[in-house]
Amino acid sequence: MSPAPWDIGLLAVDAAVAATPMAARARAALPGVRQVVLSPGDPLPVSADGGRTLHVKAHKGRFLRPCPATRNYRCCGYQIIHIGENCPMDCSYCILRAYFRDRTLTAFANTGAMFAELDRTFGRDRTRPFRVGTGQFADSLALEPITGHTRELLGFLSDYDNVILELKSKTADLTWMEADPHPERVLPAWSVNAPEIIAAEERDTAPLEARLAAARTCARAGFRVCLHFDPICFFPGWEAGYAATVDLIFDYLQPADIAYMSLGSFRCLPELPRRLAEEGRALPAYMIGEFALGPDGKKRLLRPLRVRQFRFLAARLAGYGFSRGLYFCMESDEVWREVFGRTPRMLGGLAAHLLDVARNRGG
């Protein structure tokens, strides 16, 4: 028997959601894995062989929430649909290391409650557009072959032509396309990085070429895709590394295939280096450098170094004819001015601008 995906050694399903379609899909996708049903109050068991636990449960809080922004840095206005927590991939820079202290993967199966909440928001005014995504507290697609969460969500959203869903991933999974979604309402998205960073710091992720091949498949099917250079890391040879990535992008895609791209410099909570040391992982070179503590409590590369990298990537992308959909993730107006010569306010607000870009409108 082939090994379970993502080294999952235990499927734990709460009794309250044991009869849901998602629980059934998970059981069918993990036939050789130990499976338990948890009654209220039961402790979450651990996998006997050291594998991961997938916990299928109900979410008791809000499903739709704003992206966690600060007043000091410009936010893109993205809203999060909370489908689960934690990620099976192992990126050294990931902020989820600070949020979740174990290897447990969580999927929320009470989709009826989720859809009721989303209907109250999306259905209240069908003329109001929304740009939402699922890739904040979990990879959008890492568990899709097991849970079918995205296919279920896309089926629900088929009745809401005012909603655009971004699916952000480091996998090459395209099983969500089985839901036959409207291409104008879905933005398949991938994180991209320099080859050196992907090879050394993004363990268990799809190779860059596989991500871009998946993006090309989506573009040929009529979808416009999104790419995210985040985090941009400062390491010896970064110019050649990021230049190679930009060049490879346009080996697979045309500028018109891409709705937008974000640029985000490496930033982290101060305890991240200690967490890596506790895991026995060597401190990456990009974490050893010139950093300052930002107003959001995160360590950030010094602004002149960030601006240098941003200008380099913006110029490289412009050389291929891509500039309109380029934006910064969590940067100040000062950085916007230094790199682009304008601020989000001059675009009519970043959230409004990206909505127009996502809906393929001019401007």
Side-chain angles (χ1 to χ4, degrees), residues 214-255:
R216 181 173 60 191
T217 297
C218 292
R220 289 175 175 174
F223 296 87
R224 291 187 307 140
V225 306
C226 304
L227 301 174
H228 298 284
F229 280 92
D230 197 348
I232 301 168
C233 300
F234 196 85
F235 62 94
W238 66 264
E239 295 98 332
Y242 286 110
T245 297
V246 171
D247 295 345
L248 191 63
I249 286 170
F250 294 103
D251 283 344
Y252 284 84
L253 299 168
Q254 299 297 315

Side-chain angles (χ1 to χ4, degrees), residues 62-185:
R62 292 172 54 198
F63 284 95
L64 186 67
R65 57 184 70 182
C67 182
T70 74
R71 64 180 181 179
N72 306 98
Y73 302 109
R74 295 298 180 186
C75 177
C76 70
Y78 173 84
Q79 294 193 64
I80 303 156
I81 298 176
H82 198 38
I83 64 169
E85 295 175 344
N86 220 342
C87 180
M89 290 170 274
D90 186 14
C91 300
S92 62
Y93 51 75
C94 186
I95 197 167
L96 296 185
R97 291 180 182 276
Y99 292 162
F100 309 117
R101 302 279 175 160
D102 57 32
R103 287 163 49 86
T104 300
L105 306 170
T106 302
F108 299 136
N110 56 329
T111 53
M114 179 174 73
F115 296 155
E117 179 187 331
L118 297 180
D119 176 68
R120 289 193 295 272
T121 302
F122 301 153
R124 185 179 300 121
D125 179 1
R126 296 297 185 113
T127 66
R128 179 188 172 188
F130 291 87
R131 185 172 63 93
V132 301
T134 54
Q136 185 71 21
F137 297 102
D139 184 280
S140 289
L141 300 173
L143 296 179
E144 181 61 19
I146 300 171
T147 65
H149 213 154
T150 299
R151 280 164 284 174
E152 197 172 348
L153 177 58
L154 287 168
F156 166 77
L157 290 177
S158 64
D159 292 331
Y160 298 82
D161 60 7
N162 57 327
V163 179
I164 295 175
L165 176 67
E166 180 176 341
L167 301 173
K168 185 176 179 181
S169 186
K170 289 192 181 80
T171 75
D173 180 74
L174 295 178
T175 57
W176 57 270
M177 296 179 75
E178 296 169 4
D180 194 26
H182 299 277
E184 70 276 11
R185 299 189 204 166

